[in-house]
């Protein structure tokens, strides 16, 4: 009976043991939940490795602030504004003047229907063409020019200051001028003009003329006319313009006091202000 009492096993009180463990855990010091390093700082110069491992979306950056530059506009200068207005007025007046001239010219053309005058060289006579002892060439030409005005309502005033000359391959042989006269509507005027001149060191020129005549049988001459005129539309006389006439003549010889045949003759006419 006593041995039975000594071998009796007493169960372990599990509830009291668990209670003691909980009490020990409560008495143990708890780890702080607040980080020891302030937010935004690092423990070392290399930085917190955990912060680098976080994704970029979880990292907090300061808000981006964009600075917009302020443009200060300068007030317009009054002087430049006056210059612009003056330039605009000048261009406008010039445009109106050109337009007015064009309108007037158009009306005159429609009303009077002007046509260009016609010119021709009818006769050429050489009264002097001599080579002197000092190698100078003295030439005197008598030229007959016919001027025709085909217009019905337009007259031509031939003013003073005209110039007419005869050339051979760039050498001026003689020159003169046309007389002043008025040519009426549908008028034909025949002009007899005396031209004279002197050319120094003309030996080469005479040799060239002789060779030209022997090889081709003709001598080409150029006659040039510059004539200031005023055009009359009805009773209106406009400003002075210049007629320029160039005629090409092919003659058989340039012998003095000899019959000279004009084998070919053509004239071109133009005018300018």
């Amino acid at each position: 009976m006593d041995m039975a009492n000594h071998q009796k096993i007493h169960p372990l009180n599990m509830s009291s043991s668990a209670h003691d463990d909980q009490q020990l855990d409560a008495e143990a010091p708890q780890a702080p939940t607040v980080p020891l390093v302030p937010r935004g700082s690092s423990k070392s110069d290399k930085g917190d490795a955990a912060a680098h491992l976080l994704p970029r979306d979880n990292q907090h950056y300061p808000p981006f602030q964009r600075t917009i530059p302020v443009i200060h506009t300068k007030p317009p200068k009054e002087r430049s504004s006056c210059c612009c207005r003056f330039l605009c007025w000048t261009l406008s007046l010039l445009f109106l003047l050109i337009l007015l001239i064009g309108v007037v010219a158009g009306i005159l053309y429609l009303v009077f229907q002007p046509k260009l005058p016609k010119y021709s060289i009818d006769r050429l006579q050489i009264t002097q063409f001599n080579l002197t002892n000092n190698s100078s060439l003295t030439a005197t030409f008598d030229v007959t020019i016919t001027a025709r005005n085909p217009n019905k309502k337009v007259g031509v005033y031939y003013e003073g200051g005209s110039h007419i000359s005869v050339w051979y391959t760039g050498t001026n042989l003689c020159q003169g001028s046309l007389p002043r006269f008025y040519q009426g509507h549908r008028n034909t005027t025949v002009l007899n003009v005396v031209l004279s001149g002197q050319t120094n060191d003309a030996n080469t020129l005479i040799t060239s003329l002789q060779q030209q005549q022997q090889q081709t049988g003709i001598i080409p001459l150029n006659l040039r006319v510059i004539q200031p005129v005023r055009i009359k539309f009805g009773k209106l006389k406009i400003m002075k313009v210049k007629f320029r006439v160039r005629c090409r003549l092919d003659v058989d010889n340039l012998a003095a006091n000899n019959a000279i045949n004009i084998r070919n003759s053509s004239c071109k006419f133009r005018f300018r202000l």
Side-chain angles (χ1 to χ4, degrees):
M1 189 71 180
D2 292 334
M3 292 179 63
N5 291 334
H6 284 285
Q7 294 177 355
K8 189 177 181 179
I9 298 172
H10 299 279
L12 182 60
N13 191 356
M14 297 297 294
S15 62
S16 73
S17 178
H19 179 71
D20 293 337
D21 292 338
Q22 292 177 1
Q23 194 173 16
L24 289 174
D25 293 338
E27 292 177 359
Q30 297 180 358
T33 59
V34 180
L36 297 179
V37 181
R39 187 180 299 276
S41 63
S42 61
K43 293 182 180 181
S44 64
D45 296 337
K46 296 182 180 180
D48 192 0
H52 290 288
L53 294 177
L54 291 175
R56 292 184 178 273
D57 295 341
N58 293 335
Q59 296 183 14
H60 299 282
Y61 296 98
F64 176 74
Q65 296 181 356
R66 182 178 179 182
T67 303
I68 301 175
V70 180
I71 301 175
H72 300 281
T73 58
K74 296 181 179 181
K77 295 182 180 180
E78 186 176 355
R79 178 179 297 180
S80 60
S81 178
C82 293
C83 292
C84 291
R85 286 198 298 267
F86 176 77
L87 181 61
C88 291
W89 276 105
T90 303
L91 293 177
S92 299
L93 292 176
L94 182 61
F95 175 75
L96 290 177
L97 180 61
I98 295 175
L99 182 62
L100 181 60
I101 293 175
V103 171
V104 173
I107 293 175
L108 291 177
Y109 180 81
L110 292 176
V111 173
F112 296 97
Q113 297 180 356
K115 299 178 183 179
L116 294 177
K118 297 180 180 180
Y119 301 92
S120 63
I121 308 299
D122 298 331
R123 190 175 65 90
L124 175 63
Q125 183 179 1
I126 299 177
T127 58
Q128 187 178 8
F129 199 80
N130 301 325
L131 186 65
T132 62
N133 295 329
N134 58 357
S135 300
S136 296
L137 177 64
T138 302
T140 303
F141 289 10
D142 291 340
V143 183
T144 301
I145 302 174
T146 301
R148 297 179 178 88
N149 179 14
N151 295 281
K152 298 179 180 179
K153 302 178 181 179
V154 179
V156 181
Y157 287 92
Y158 287 81
E159 303 287 343
S162 65
H163 184 266
I164 180 172
S165 57
V166 177
W167 296 72
Y168 171 76
T169 62
T171 301
N172 187 2
L173 300 178
C174 52
Q175 59 274 338
S177 60
L178 297 175
R180 299 182 58 173
F181 67 98
Y182 170 73
Q183 189 173 30
H185 311 152
R186 289 189 172 181
N187 178 265
T188 300
T189 303
V190 178
L191 303 172
N192 294 318
V193 184
V194 178
L195 309 177
S196 61
Q198 184 174 355
T199 305
N200 297 325
D201 298 328
N203 290 325
T204 304
L205 175 63
I206 294 297
T207 303
S208 176
L209 288 171
Q210 292 174 352
Q211 292 177 354
Q212 180 73 31
Q213 184 178 5
Q214 292 174 0
Q215 293 175 0
T216 63
I218 61 173
I219 299 176
L221 299 177
N222 291 316
L223 188 142
R224 303 175 185 177
V225 180
I226 301 176
Q227 176 64 56
V229 300
R230 289 184 183 273
I231 308 299
K232 183 179 180 182
F233 293 96
K235 295 183 179 181
L236 176 64
K237 185 189 296 186
I238 67 171
M239 61 182 179
K240 183 183 295 186
V241 297
K242 286 186 177 181
F243 283 177
R244 291 181 176 269
V245 183
R246 291 196 175 188
C247 299
R248 168 69 183 265
L249 304 175
D250 292 335
V251 299
D252 59 350
N253 67 88
L254 291 179
N257 299 319
N258 192 10
I260 298 176
N261 296 324
I262 300 177
R263 296 186 178 182
N264 187 22
S265 171
S266 63
C267 296
K268 294 182 180 180
F269 171 85
R270 62 188 179 93
F271 71 93
R272 71 175 185 178
L273 299 179

